[in-house]
Amino acid sequence: MHLPTAVNRLATRALIAPLLAPTLPVAVRRRGLDLVGSSLPLPRGTRRAHGTLGGVPTAVVAPPGRLAPHRVLYLHGGGYLVGSSASHRPLLAGLAHATGTAVFAPHYRLAPEHPFPAALDDALAAWRALRDAGFPARRIAVAGDSAGGGLTMSLLLRLRETGEDLPGSIGLVSPWLDLTCTADALGRNVATDAMLDPSWLPDAVADYAGPHTAAPELNPLDADLTGLPPLRVVAGAGEILVDDADALVERARAAGAPVSYDRVEGMWHAFPTLAGVLAEADASLRTLGRAMRTDCTA
């Protein structure tokens, strides 16, 4: 049941944003976000299971009925510090229904206990496990939100660097790509982003990237973007990270990559995490999921 956008905005600001703030211990933030995600409704018929991919604990979320021939590898957001398949439960279910197939969400290692490149190593292990299970690269879409969007781009750059086949599609929701935290929107949209405060980001960068901020895999906006798979991007026009999405879309298009961009007015950071209760979240996930399904099954 959809709630009014204003109610969702208020709930995001009152319930979710405080759990992302560094004022709380990281263990409390992780548990709180998982409880919020677990309390939201899922589409009827959603199937859920748990296993491993490449040794990484992984949740599997699927729609009812026969699955389409592709698969989705989803890397959750949370500033590389928090987040899980539980916190992202509604988004994963909505994406599974939209793509018509199983979505694999690895519980990659989090900072500060496990800084870069632990998360990227886990994402790569999960990707290779899907490949070893018999799925051609072109039949796998890789997607992620916020820090998971940055991790998705890091994985893409790592695959290209090692000469491996690239995914059939890339999906990015409110990707966090510029770890210098200098984009104009960090100030311009501070009043309109119900979820994120720009003052929280530098600590997350320090905990995750540490001395590796100049690593090419952490700077996708500076990378050569030629030869990318189709890139499907969703962002809220009112979020503090929208400049990251704007810049990536502009540079990918200039490099000749196939790109679609769903830039939603009036929306805040990672709004599709409210799938099932926010109409705009469901609409964007349908658009994203259908595009990735088409990319991987054409």
Side-chain angles (χ1 to χ4, degrees):
M1 181 180 69
H2 292 149
L3 299 175
T5 300
V7 172
N8 278 289
R9 178 184 292 278
L10 180 62
T12 298
R13 196 177 294 279
L15 298 177
I16 300 176
L19 294 171
L20 295 171
T23 51
L24 292 173
V26 70
V28 173
R29 296 158 66 189
R30 290 172 183 169
R31 179 60 177 157
L33 288 169
D34 285 354
L35 288 173
V36 171
S38 297
S39 71
L40 296 176
L42 300 185
R44 182 174 299 176
T46 300
R47 296 178 287 173
R48 301 170 63 239
H50 292 272
T52 60
L53 271 179
V56 183
T58 299
V60 186
V61 183
R66 185 175 181 177
L67 300 180
H70 66 299
R71 295 293 183 268
V72 177
L73 179 65
Y74 194 88
L75 305 173
H76 68 78
Y80 300 103
L81 306 175
V82 299
S84 71
S85 65
S87 65
H88 284 64
R89 180 172 165 266
L91 186 156
L92 296 172
L95 193 60
H97 283 254
T99 57
T101 196
V103 176
F104 293 81
H107 292 190
Y108 60 84
R109 287 170 291 170
L110 297 173
E113 301 95 325
H114 305 285
F116 175 84
L120 178 54
D121 290 343
D122 288 353
L124 181 62
W127 163 267
R128 287 175 172 166
L130 277 179
R131 296 283 285 112
D132 290 343
F135 293 100
R138 65 184 180 85
R139 295 287 196 197
I140 305 173
V142 181
D145 66 284
S146 193
L151 186 55
T152 296
M153 290 301 298
S154 293
L155 175 61
L156 186 63
L157 296 175
R158 172 74 68 86
L159 291 173
R160 190 168 65 178
E161 179 186 9
T162 56
E164 299 182 45
D165 292 338
L166 300 182
S169 185
I170 295 294
L172 302 174
V173 176
S174 300
W176 184 21
L177 306 172
D178 180 7
L179 299 188
T180 68
C181 304
T182 57
D184 179 69
L186 293 174
R188 186 180 73 244
N189 287 345
V190 67
T192 55
D193 195 328
M195 185 175 286
L196 278 188
D197 186 304
S199 66
W200 304 339
L201 301 182
D203 285 344
V205 173
D207 285 340
Y208 173 63
H212 305 288
T213 54
E217 294 161 336
L218 294 179
N219 293 277
L221 294 179
D222 296 329
D224 177 7
L225 301 181
T226 57
L228 290 185
L231 191 65
R232 311 304 180 187
V233 184
V234 176
E239 66 170 287
I240 62 171
L241 296 183
V242 70
D243 285 357
D244 290 21
D246 289 349
L248 180 69
V249 167
E250 179 182 355
R251 295 174 193 187
R253 283 175 174 161
V259 179
S260 62
Y261 189 16
D262 184 18
R263 193 180 194 271
V264 186
E265 292 297 326
M267 289 294 106
W268 52 90
H269 180 68
F271 67 94
T273 55
L274 294 176
V277 294
L278 178 64
E280 292 89 344
D282 287 348
S284 287
L285 284 181
R286 283 194 298 269
T287 299
L288 177 64
R290 289 168 183 168
M292 293 196 299
R293 178 172 182 163
T294 299
D295 294 338
C296 291
T297 59

